[in-house]
Amino acid sequence: MNERAAGFPQPQITTDQGQPPMSDIRRLLVVDDEEVICQIVDGFLSHDQWTVESARTIAQARGLLADREYSVILCDVHLEGDPLEFLAEVREQRPDAQLIMFTGDPSVDSVREALAIGAYDYMTKPCRRDELTRTVQRAFEKHLLLRRQSGLLKENEAYRTALEQMLEQRSHQLRESERRYRALFDSAVDCIFVVSVAEGAIVDANIAAAHLLGMSRPDVIGRQLSEFVGAQFDPLLAEAATSAVAEWRQDRVAVAGPSNRRRTAQVSCGRVLIDGQSCVQIVARDLTDHLELIERNELMELELLSEQRLAAIGLLASGVAHNINTPLMGIYGVAQLIKMKHPEIEDIDGVITQVDRITSIIRNLMWKSRQEQDSAYQEIDLCQLLREELRFLEADLDFKHYVDKQYSLSTDLPAIYGRYSDFSQSLMNVVRNALDAMHGRDARVLKVAAAVRDGEILISIQDSGCGISAEDRDKIFMPFFTTKLIVGSDGGPTGTGLGLSTVQKLMSPYGVRFEIESQPNQGTTFVFRIPTEINSPRRARDRAKP
């Protein structure tokens, strides 16, 4: 039979170009090998604004589905190409499309299997228009619900993804902000402590703060602030527990770390909230080195003043000695004349002897003055240097009368080349330290020895003084370290802590090494080990080059 001649409307094949979204389009695909069925469906549904397209085979239907979407698909159960497999494909690829199965035998197993696979409904042939319209409308409504559900799921997924991205972005920003804060916190030059008001414990500290205490940061966290500053901050913590604390400053705070490590800091504090916990932030600036520098400058000023006084006294003594020579020569000449004219006067010999002694003292004073002022390299006899310097010390009556002096100076010491003042100042600094160490002791014994051994000149200075503790022995060459009273104090030997550091600085260019043996209350032995290879001007100058 000719369907066109029978008056059936022909199916219209349309495309989705320029069409509204699929959720608003009534597009239906009829898959049936009978063209008349396709025309009937098109005729029934065209009045309800449905766009109906048709396929005669499963293969043709697959081709149409590859190019466009359909809200509802009507498929005959009895087609070549396995309609059930086609149904399964549609369910997987177009989960929102609704399939209605056509069958002429509603009792067949294939219909039941189709429903099990996911077909929306089935209809028997022939079908009434109202039944077809109603079934297709319900299928379309389910399609719309699925599309909306899919859209909501997609919106929800997009919203969730956006939230996750925003959260990740915020988390990244927070981590970056925390990293920058931690970097600034840790690299701050000033020491920063965060202390819990309720517990008085350190809840955070930067690297500078840990360094101030001489500890590692993990060891500082959790410790009580009072362990390091005592009760100095108790009023501040008590005030912070009851009210908001304005900025609190203190110029000098004593800080004591482990091993009695003591520092001085300038502190400013303020109340902060961290994770809801009331804390006090303490910013401390370590002033210890600054204060030590000020103290050292004061000591150096005192040392310079002392040196200036000594220089002035030395210059005056040299002038006095020079001026004494002339009247002394007159006295000596008159005494010689009296002895010639009156040899019977025996006491005149005593006068001449005392004049000789005075002349010797003046000569020694003037010789030492010239040597100290001469900065040129010269041949030095260390034995003569020691004798002259020790003899010069006898101007100190306490040294002359109350110190047991035991000298053992070898006469075969080789001459060395250097600056006289370098060696005289170094040796006398050690001798004066030995005399200061014996101050106030019952037995004061000074032993000075010089000898040659294994290519070295050994000069040993030994005293019976108070000795040096093991803790202080490694510090004696440090500038400004001293166990004596500060210069300007009364009641005992004073010092600036520059004596032995000067010795080390002056002797290092000559390759001199030092040995120190000491026990508290048992005295000290200080040994200069001077290499004999500095026996020429060239070698001495080469060694003295920086």
Side-chain angles (χ1 to χ4, degrees), residues 71 88 102 109 116 134 160 164 166 187 245 249 261 320 336 351 373 381-382 414-415 421 450 476 489 500:
S71 304
F102 268 144
D109 294 337
R134 186 171 54 253
R160 185 184 66 80
E164 289 179 352
M166 185 181 298
S187 61
V245 179
R249 292 178 60 87
R261 173 189 170 93
V320 169
Q336 291 287 346
V351 173
Q373 294 175 13
D381 184 341
L382 290 177
S421 59
I476 60 175
S489 303
L500 290 183

mmCIF file of all heavy atoms in Angstrom, residues 71 88 102 109 116 134 160 164 166 187 245 249 261 320 336 351 373 381-382 414-415 421 450 476 489 500:
data_model
loop_
_atom_site.group_PDB
_atom_site.id
_atom_site.type_symbol
_atom_site.label_atom_id
_atom_site.label_comp_id
_atom_site.label_asym_id
_atom_site.label_seq_id
_atom_site.Cartn_x
_atom_site.Cartn_y
_atom_site.Cartn_z
ATOM 1 N N SER A 71 14.203 13.612 23.382
ATOM 2 C CA SER A 71 13.620 13.493 24.713
ATOM 3 C C SER A 71 13.027 12.103 24.917
ATOM 4 O O SER A 71 13.164 11.506 26.001
ATOM 5 C CB SER A 71 12.520 14.543 24.901
ATOM 6 O OG SER A 71 13.023 15.835 24.676
ATOM 7 N N ALA A 88 20.168 -0.727 25.909
ATOM 8 C CA ALA A 88 21.242 -0.603 26.896
ATOM 9 C C ALA A 88 22.224 0.503 26.519
ATOM 10 O O ALA A 88 22.709 1.259 27.376
ATOM 11 C CB ALA A 88 21.973 -1.941 27.039
ATOM 12 N N PHE A 102 7.468 -0.526 21.715
ATOM 13 C CA PHE A 102 6.274 -0.953 20.957
ATOM 14 C C PHE A 102 6.318 -2.465 20.813
ATOM 15 O O PHE A 102 7.376 -3.036 20.509
ATOM 16 C CB PHE A 102 6.263 -0.333 19.551
ATOM 17 C CG PHE A 102 5.525 0.956 19.460
ATOM 18 C CD1 PHE A 102 5.966 1.978 18.612
ATOM 19 C CD2 PHE A 102 4.355 1.144 20.182
ATOM 20 C CE1 PHE A 102 5.260 3.159 18.520
ATOM 21 C CE2 PHE A 102 3.658 2.343 20.075
ATOM 22 C CZ PHE A 102 4.116 3.343 19.261
ATOM 23 N N ASP A 109 8.812 -12.190 26.643
ATOM 24 C CA ASP A 109 9.861 -11.959 27.650
ATOM 25 C C ASP A 109 10.721 -10.748 27.320
ATOM 26 O O ASP A 109 11.275 -10.103 28.221
ATOM 27 C CB ASP A 109 10.756 -13.192 27.750
ATOM 28 C CG ASP A 109 9.992 -14.393 28.312
ATOM 29 O OD1 ASP A 109 8.983 -14.158 29.000
ATOM 30 O OD2 ASP A 109 10.447 -15.538 28.076
ATOM 31 N N ALA A 116 13.346 -4.198 32.546
ATOM 32 C CA ALA A 116 14.410 -4.426 33.535
ATOM 33 C C ALA A 116 15.663 -3.636 33.186
ATOM 34 O O ALA A 116 16.372 -3.147 34.067
ATOM 35 C CB ALA A 116 14.719 -5.919 33.626
ATOM 36 N N ARG A 134 -0.590 10.496 26.240
ATOM 37 C CA ARG A 134 -0.414 10.491 27.698
ATOM 38 C C ARG A 134 0.922 9.841 28.093
ATOM 39 O O ARG A 134 1.667 10.334 28.933
ATOM 40 C CB ARG A 134 -1.595 9.795 28.346
ATOM 41 C CG ARG A 134 -1.569 9.866 29.877
ATOM 42 C CD ARG A 134 -2.870 9.349 30.470
ATOM 43 N NE ARG A 134 -3.212 8.029 30.025
ATOM 44 C CZ ARG A 134 -4.179 7.733 29.174
ATOM 45 N NH1 ARG A 134 -4.917 8.721 28.660
ATOM 46 N NH2 ARG A 134 -4.448 6.487 28.807
ATOM 47 N N ARG A 160 30.377 23.152 44.081
ATOM 48 C CA ARG A 160 31.318 22.474 44.986
ATOM 49 C C ARG A 160 32.755 22.664 44.524
ATOM 50 O O ARG A 160 33.661 22.938 45.338
ATOM 51 C CB ARG A 160 30.993 20.985 45.048
ATOM 52 C CG ARG A 160 31.838 20.206 46.054
ATOM 53 C CD ARG A 160 31.525 18.726 45.987
ATOM 54 N NE ARG A 160 31.921 18.171 44.704
ATOM 55 C CZ ARG A 160 33.183 17.830 44.406
ATOM 56 N NH1 ARG A 160 34.151 18.004 45.296
ATOM 57 N NH2 ARG A 160 33.475 17.325 43.233
ATOM 58 N N GLU A 164 35.612 24.490 46.497
ATOM 59 C CA GLU A 164 36.897 23.848 46.775
ATOM 60 C C GLU A 164 38.045 24.712 46.271
ATOM 61 O O GLU A 164 39.074 24.855 46.953
ATOM 62 C CB GLU A 164 36.943 22.470 46.122
ATOM 63 C CG GLU A 164 36.037 21.444 46.794
ATOM 64 C CD GLU A 164 36.090 20.100 46.103
ATOM 65 O OE1 GLU A 164 36.708 20.026 45.012
ATOM 66 O OE2 GLU A 164 35.525 19.123 46.635
ATOM 67 N N MET A 166 37.926 27.965 45.829
ATOM 68 C CA MET A 166 37.995 29.140 46.698
ATOM 69 C C MET A 166 38.650 28.776 48.030
ATOM 70 O O MET A 166 39.483 29.527 48.550
ATOM 71 C CB MET A 166 36.586 29.692 46.933
ATOM 72 C CG MET A 166 36.564 30.995 47.745
ATOM 73 S SD MET A 166 34.888 31.597 48.024
ATOM 74 C CE MET A 166 34.375 31.889 46.321
ATOM 75 N N SER A 187 62.916 35.880 61.288
ATOM 76 C CA SER A 187 64.093 36.635 60.856
ATOM 77 C C SER A 187 64.205 37.993 61.533
ATOM 78 O O SER A 187 65.136 38.748 61.228
ATOM 79 C CB SER A 187 64.062 36.815 59.338
ATOM 80 O OG SER A 187 62.916 37.543 58.941
ATOM 81 N N VAL A 245 46.337 45.736 78.442
ATOM 82 C CA VAL A 245 47.555 46.406 78.863
ATOM 83 C C VAL A 245 48.026 47.336 77.758
ATOM 84 O O VAL A 245 48.132 46.942 76.602
ATOM 85 C CB VAL A 245 48.660 45.365 79.171
ATOM 86 C CG1 VAL A 245 49.942 46.073 79.597
ATOM 87 C CG2 VAL A 245 48.188 44.440 80.276
ATOM 88 N N ARG A 249 57.128 49.469 78.820
ATOM 89 C CA ARG A 249 58.532 49.484 78.436
ATOM 90 C C ARG A 249 59.407 49.439 79.679
ATOM 91 O O ARG A 249 59.039 49.936 80.743
ATOM 92 C CB ARG A 249 58.868 50.755 77.645
ATOM 93 C CG ARG A 249 58.226 50.827 76.279
ATOM 94 C CD ARG A 249 58.564 52.139 75.590
ATOM 95 N NE ARG A 249 60.003 52.279 75.419
ATOM 96 C CZ ARG A 249 60.682 51.807 74.370
ATOM 97 N NH1 ARG A 249 60.042 51.149 73.428
ATOM 98 N NH2 ARG A 249 61.983 51.979 74.268
ATOM 99 N N ARG A 261 74.067 31.979 81.888
ATOM 100 C CA ARG A 261 74.295 32.934 80.792
ATOM 101 C C ARG A 261 73.458 34.177 81.061
ATOM 102 O O ARG A 261 72.238 34.116 81.060
ATOM 103 C CB ARG A 261 73.899 32.287 79.464
ATOM 104 C CG ARG A 261 73.936 33.225 78.253
ATOM 105 C CD ARG A 261 73.322 32.528 77.059
ATOM 106 N NE ARG A 261 73.101 33.419 75.950
ATOM 107 C CZ ARG A 261 73.942 33.628 74.948
ATOM 108 N NH1 ARG A 261 75.085 32.966 74.950
ATOM 109 N NH2 ARG A 261 73.646 34.438 73.959
ATOM 110 N N VAL A 320 114.321 64.988 84.432
ATOM 111 C CA VAL A 320 114.900 65.134 85.778
ATOM 112 C C VAL A 320 116.252 64.446 85.848
ATOM 113 O O VAL A 320 117.239 64.977 86.385
ATOM 114 C CB VAL A 320 113.930 64.586 86.836
ATOM 115 C CG1 VAL A 320 114.623 64.492 88.188
ATOM 116 C CG2 VAL A 320 112.696 65.459 86.930
ATOM 117 N N GLN A 336 135.910 63.665 94.966
ATOM 118 C CA GLN A 336 137.215 63.170 94.531
ATOM 119 C C GLN A 336 138.325 64.131 94.988
ATOM 120 O O GLN A 336 139.414 63.685 95.435
ATOM 121 C CB GLN A 336 137.221 63.030 92.996
ATOM 122 C CG GLN A 336 136.346 61.926 92.465
ATOM 123 C CD GLN A 336 136.947 60.543 92.732
ATOM 124 O OE1 GLN A 336 138.146 60.412 93.095
ATOM 125 N NE2 GLN A 336 136.130 59.525 92.614
ATOM 126 N N VAL A 351 130.504 58.447 100.246
ATOM 127 C CA VAL A 351 129.821 59.434 99.392
ATOM 128 C C VAL A 351 130.037 59.092 97.932
ATOM 129 O O VAL A 351 129.106 59.127 97.115
ATOM 130 C CB VAL A 351 130.333 60.852 99.715
ATOM 131 C CG1 VAL A 351 129.754 61.863 98.718
ATOM 132 C CG2 VAL A 351 129.995 61.243 101.128
ATOM 133 N N GLN A 373 111.489 54.198 73.228
ATOM 134 C CA GLN A 373 111.068 55.124 72.183
ATOM 135 C C GLN A 373 111.564 54.712 70.803
ATOM 136 O O GLN A 373 111.093 55.240 69.794
ATOM 137 C CB GLN A 373 111.577 56.532 72.513
ATOM 138 C CG GLN A 373 110.949 57.126 73.771
ATOM 139 C CD GLN A 373 111.554 58.461 74.141
ATOM 140 O OE1 GLN A 373 112.270 59.064 73.355
ATOM 141 N NE2 GLN A 373 111.277 58.920 75.352
ATOM 142 N N ASP A 381 119.306 41.336 73.335
ATOM 143 C CA ASP A 381 119.777 40.338 74.293
ATOM 144 C C ASP A 381 118.698 40.218 75.363
ATOM 145 O O ASP A 381 118.520 41.100 76.197
ATOM 146 C CB ASP A 381 121.101 40.794 74.902
ATOM 147 C CG ASP A 381 121.688 39.744 75.850
ATOM 148 O OD1 ASP A 381 120.918 38.862 76.306
ATOM 149 O OD2 ASP A 381 122.890 39.817 76.142
ATOM 150 N N LEU A 382 117.944 39.117 75.317
ATOM 151 C CA LEU A 382 116.806 38.963 76.221
ATOM 152 C C LEU A 382 117.238 38.904 77.677
ATOM 153 O O LEU A 382 116.492 39.351 78.566
ATOM 154 C CB LEU A 382 115.997 37.717 75.845
ATOM 155 C CG LEU A 382 115.211 37.823 74.528
ATOM 156 C CD1 LEU A 382 114.504 36.507 74.222
ATOM 157 C CD2 LEU A 382 114.186 38.949 74.597
ATOM 158 N N PRO A 414 120.799 33.111 72.487
ATOM 159 C CA PRO A 414 121.120 33.769 71.218
ATOM 160 C C PRO A 414 120.363 35.089 71.101
ATOM 161 O O PRO A 414 119.257 35.243 71.612
ATOM 162 C CB PRO A 414 120.641 32.767 70.165
ATOM 163 C CG PRO A 414 119.569 31.996 70.841
ATOM 164 C CD PRO A 414 119.980 31.898 72.282
ATOM 165 N N ALA A 415 120.978 36.035 70.424
ATOM 166 C CA ALA A 415 120.315 37.323 70.203
ATOM 167 C C ALA A 415 119.182 37.146 69.187
ATOM 168 O O ALA A 415 119.250 36.325 68.281
ATOM 169 C CB ALA A 415 121.324 38.344 69.709
ATOM 170 N N SER A 421 110.610 47.434 72.466
ATOM 171 C CA SER A 421 109.403 47.712 73.248
ATOM 172 C C SER A 421 108.407 46.556 73.180
ATOM 173 O O SER A 421 107.656 46.332 74.141
ATOM 174 C CB SER A 421 108.736 48.996 72.733
ATOM 175 O OG SER A 421 108.383 48.871 71.360
ATOM 176 N N ALA A 450 115.308 31.870 82.137
ATOM 177 C CA ALA A 450 115.476 31.947 80.688
ATOM 178 C C ALA A 450 116.493 30.906 80.271
ATOM 179 O O ALA A 450 117.577 30.800 80.865
ATOM 180 C CB ALA A 450 115.910 33.345 80.261
ATOM 181 N N ILE A 476 91.777 34.299 79.112
ATOM 182 C CA ILE A 476 92.741 35.297 79.571
ATOM 183 C C ILE A 476 93.290 36.168 78.444
ATOM 184 O O ILE A 476 93.735 37.289 78.690
ATOM 185 C CB ILE A 476 93.907 34.623 80.330
ATOM 186 C CG1 ILE A 476 94.629 33.629 79.425
ATOM 187 C CG2 ILE A 476 93.399 33.950 81.587
ATOM 188 C CD1 ILE A 476 95.864 33.025 80.081
ATOM 189 N N SER A 489 89.137 51.755 90.682
ATOM 190 C CA SER A 489 88.644 51.237 91.956
ATOM 191 C C SER A 489 89.751 51.329 92.993
ATOM 192 O O SER A 489 90.935 51.468 92.682
ATOM 193 C CB SER A 489 88.186 49.785 91.783
ATOM 194 O OG SER A 489 87.205 49.692 90.774
ATOM 195 N N LEU A 500 97.157 40.946 78.704
ATOM 196 C CA LEU A 500 97.538 39.723 78.000
ATOM 197 C C LEU A 500 97.098 39.740 76.540
ATOM 198 O O LEU A 500 97.737 39.111 75.690
ATOM 199 C CB LEU A 500 96.960 38.503 78.719
ATOM 200 C CG LEU A 500 97.596 38.182 80.076
ATOM 201 C CD1 LEU A 500 96.993 36.920 80.675
ATOM 202 C CD2 LEU A 500 99.114 38.008 79.940
#
